[in-house]
Amino acid sequence: MRPIPYGRQSINDEDIKAVVDVLRSDWLTQGPAIERFELGIAEYVHAEHAVAVCNATAALHLACRALGLRPGDRIWTTPNTFVASANCGLYCGAQVDFVDIDPRTYNLCPQALSRKLEQAKRESKLPKIVIPVHFAGQPCDMEAIAELAGQYSFAVIEDASHAIGAVYRDSQVGACVYSDITVFSFHPVKIITTGEGGVATTNRADRAQNMALLRTHGITRDPKRMSGQAEGPWYYQQVDLGHNYRMTDLQAALGCSQLQRANEFVARRRMLADRYDHALASMPLRTPYQKGDRR
Ligand SMILES: *Cc1c(COP(=O)(O)O)cnc(C)c1O
């Protein structure tokens, strides 16, 4: 008997051609496929800006940095997630705490968040960032979370690693209608894949620029960001301590090609979920519950 695979990607001839075309081109990294992929994602999720990086863990880290997370600060996320949703806070020296889930959706519970915020306020231990995770692609109760964000002034990063193509009320997940930054993963087990890869979307140009700077060591060729004068066309400065979190053009080209089929992949997952719902309907168990105002 074959073991049930943890995930199985779908790669077609166009995907293969897209990667081979990059292999035959002048740019394996830092080339034109990156911007093409970023524009494609931004358009697909209706965000102003998208920053492509080597994986979603890096995107979460850069999102925390762009929102100014520092040692001594606090982030809260859900305990029902992958380790990266919490580790991004630890990378910045912040403390991590968890808000319990709604047992029906497995998503962060806004009532639990509200109670925990009330108590944290009394103890002066409010979080700087809250990271809801759209578990298995189902968007969290973003309106309630955004309302609390306004009331207690914390930032919101949506960990939408499982949720490209998801819709919450009238907005595409990634449009950042209820958050500051949204993060997607393109690991092969997610909706579309680049092998390894991630993207952060935002509607704030300054945060997008900041994440793009930190993605590539904190190095800039933009004279406006430098101290002193640029000394010729090859001149650059490191203006912050960044990372090498770049995505390659091979990955970005695969991502552009995969993005063409994103809706198809989402439709297939929904079809499979329906199949399980029906096949298991008479069993003494509860299949995942989906709220009516989101997909
Ligand atoms: C997969 C996943 C990540 C990390 O994604 P990588 O691209 O593998 O770094 C983060 N959060 C959640 C919820 C995930 O499922």
Side-chain angles (χ1 to χ4, degrees):
M1 209 171 82
R2 274 176 62 208
I4 296 172
Y6 170 60
R8 196 192 280 136
Q9 65 277 7
S10 163
I11 299 292
N12 68 12
D13 288 343
E14 277 102 82
D15 293 336
I16 292 168
K17 182 175 183 303
V19 174
V20 171
D21 285 349
V22 170
L23 281 169
R24 295 192 200 285
S25 80
D26 291 335
W27 303 89
L28 298 188
T29 190
Q30 294 176 278
I34 303 296
E35 196 184 346
R36 205 151 39 82
F37 185 46
E38 290 175 337
L39 289 171
I41 294 282
E43 188 184 353
Y44 183 68
V45 306
H46 307 147
E48 296 284 328
H49 309 279
V51 179
V53 290
C54 54
N55 53 60
T57 305
L60 285 165
H61 184 196
L62 293 188
C64 286
R65 287 200 59 184
L67 293 169
L69 192 69
R70 299 184 57 80
D73 290 337
R74 292 180 166 77
I75 70 155
W76 291 359
T77 185
T78 157
N80 186 40
T81 185
F82 183 59
V83 294
S85 320
N87 287 347
C88 58
L90 298 180
Y91 297 153
C92 297
Q95 290 177 35
V96 177
D97 204 352
F98 299 96
V99 183
D100 210 349
I101 59 169
D102 177 338
R104 287 187 310 168
T105 62
Y106 325 120
N107 278 341
L108 188 142
C109 171
Q111 285 80 30
L113 177 60
S114 177
R115 285 194 295 272
K116 196 174 168 72
L117 285 164
E118 231 171 84
Q119 188 185 343
K121 189 175 181 183
R122 284 196 296 274
E123 297 168 0
S124 301
K125 289 180 172 173
L126 284 169
K128 183 160 191 161
I129 300 174
V130 173
I131 307 182
V133 177
H134 304 319
F135 191 82
Q138 172 156 229
C140 295
D141 293 321
M142 291 311 298
E143 192 171 297
I145 293 168
E147 211 165 283
L148 291 167
Q151 200 178 328
Y152 290 94
S153 42
F154 56 82
V156 177
I157 300 171
E158 293 174 71
D159 184 342
S161 289
H162 311 172
I164 197 160
V167 177
Y168 173 75
R169 301 197 173 161
D170 294 331
S171 66
Q172 201 75 20
V173 167
C176 298
V177 175
Y178 302 93
S179 67
D180 297 277
I181 296 173
T182 302
V183 166
F184 297 106
S185 171
F186 309 122
H187 180 279
V189 82
K190 321 288 170 151
I191 316 297
I192 66 169
T193 189
T194 60
E196 295 279 358
V199 151
T201 63
T202 177
N203 296 323
R204 283 268 301 262
D206 55 340
R207 287 179 182 148
Q209 281 163 13
N210 194 239
M211 290 190 283
L213 179 78
L214 295 173
R215 156 180 74 182
T216 182
H217 305 279
I219 282 172
T220 185
R221 293 176 191 278
D222 179 0
K224 288 197 291 293
R225 297 186 88 110
M226 293 181 189
S227 56
Q229 286 286 308
E231 298 161 16
W234 296 100
Y235 188 79
Y236 63 81
Q237 284 184 1
Q238 185 193 327
V239 297
D240 199 346
L241 180 60
H243 311 268
N244 184 349
Y245 278 173
R246 289 187 301 259
M247 175 181 272
T248 67
D249 279 53
L250 301 164
Q251 293 165 309
L254 179 55
C256 288
S257 179
Q258 287 263 307
L259 194 54
Q260 306 304 313
R261 286 190 291 154
N263 290 340
E264 197 182 301
F265 292 153
V266 171
R268 176 162 172 79
R269 282 177 185 258
R270 294 183 61 83
M271 185 275 283
L272 292 172
D274 279 347
R275 188 186 285 175
Y276 280 108
D277 281 346
H278 285 112
L280 300 175
S282 61
M283 301 284 286
L285 52 79
R286 249 187 302 168
T287 55
Y289 169 80
Q290 193 184 189
K291 294 198 171 180
D293 59 351
R294 60 204 75 177
R295 285 167 66 87

